[in-house]
């Protein structure tokens, strides 16, 4: 079983940032979001753990990622609002619904809102 490759598939390739007057900017999620690290090489990013939280309104997926460049861990928090998602529960769900991406540090401290996926 190759769990690590599966975890990679759980992460959207891109997020979209809303710009005030210029529409949306597309950014890659294959990068380290920790301070003082400029790693943008997906080969140096190793997702190793997934957490799911779900309540009536939201579906939250947290992917823990080890950065092999700065040797630290960060968390991508992917939050989907259920009233936006209209599809049935299947694998297509992520692509059909609007989600929010946040980056957290290893201790769960919020590093900021990245964008939408
Ligand atoms: Zn890093």
């Amino acid at each position: 079983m190759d769990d690590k490759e599966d975890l990679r598939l759980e992460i959207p390739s891109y997020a979209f940032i809303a710009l005030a007057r210029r529409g949306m900017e597309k950014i890659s999620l294959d990068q380290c979001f920790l301070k003082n690290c400029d790693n943008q090489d997906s080969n140096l990013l190793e997702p190793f753990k997934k957490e799911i939280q779900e309540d009536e309104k939201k579906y939250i997926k947290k992917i823990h990622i080890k950065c092999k460049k700065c040797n630290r861990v960060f968390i991508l928090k992917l939050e989907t609002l259920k009233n936006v998602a209209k599809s049935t529960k299947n694998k297509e769900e992520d692509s059909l619904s609007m989600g929010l991406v946040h980056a957290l540090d290893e201790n769960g401290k919020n590093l900021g809102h990245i964008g939408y996926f």
Side-chain angles (χ1 to χ4, degrees):
M1 236 174 91
D2 199 340
D3 283 342
K4 279 173 186 157
E5 279 310 305
D6 282 353
L7 279 178
R8 237 174 241 285
L9 296 175
E10 303 266 358
I11 305 169
S13 305
Y14 296 99
F16 296 89
I17 302 171
L19 302 172
R21 293 201 184 86
R22 290 181 290 143
M24 304 280 261
E25 186 182 350
K26 191 168 148 185
I27 62 155
S28 172
L29 291 177
D30 285 332
Q31 60 174 289
C32 177
F33 289 96
L34 292 163
K35 264 186 192 158
N36 306 318
C37 183
D38 60 358
N39 179 18
Q40 298 195 9
D41 183 351
S42 63
N43 294 316
L44 295 175
L45 294 166
E46 186 182 293
F48 63 94
K49 195 170 116 185
K50 178 174 85 168
E51 282 178 77
I52 300 287
Q53 287 167 14
E54 192 172 6
D55 65 23
E56 286 170 13
K57 290 180 186 158
K58 289 186 270 192
Y59 178 80
I60 295 170
K61 191 160 72 182
K62 286 181 182 170
I63 312 283
H64 296 239
I65 299 166
K66 164 107 180 166
C67 173
K68 292 181 192 166
K69 188 164 182 180
C70 65
N71 276 312
R72 288 177 292 173
V73 168
F74 67 97
I75 302 168
L76 278 182
K77 179 176 154 192
L78 305 162
E79 184 177 315
T80 312
L81 294 176
K82 285 188 174 174
N83 57 3
V84 176
K86 284 176 187 154
S87 67
T88 51
K89 279 203 175 291
N90 59 35
K91 300 255 174 180
E92 313 287 340
E93 189 170 67
D94 286 345
S95 60
L96 293 169
S97 57
M98 184 81 160
L100 288 170
V101 195
H102 284 85
L104 309 175
D105 73 8
E106 183 169 16
N107 302 311
K109 184 173 166 262
N110 201 344
L111 299 172
H113 174 215
I114 300 169
Y116 305 90
F117 68 92

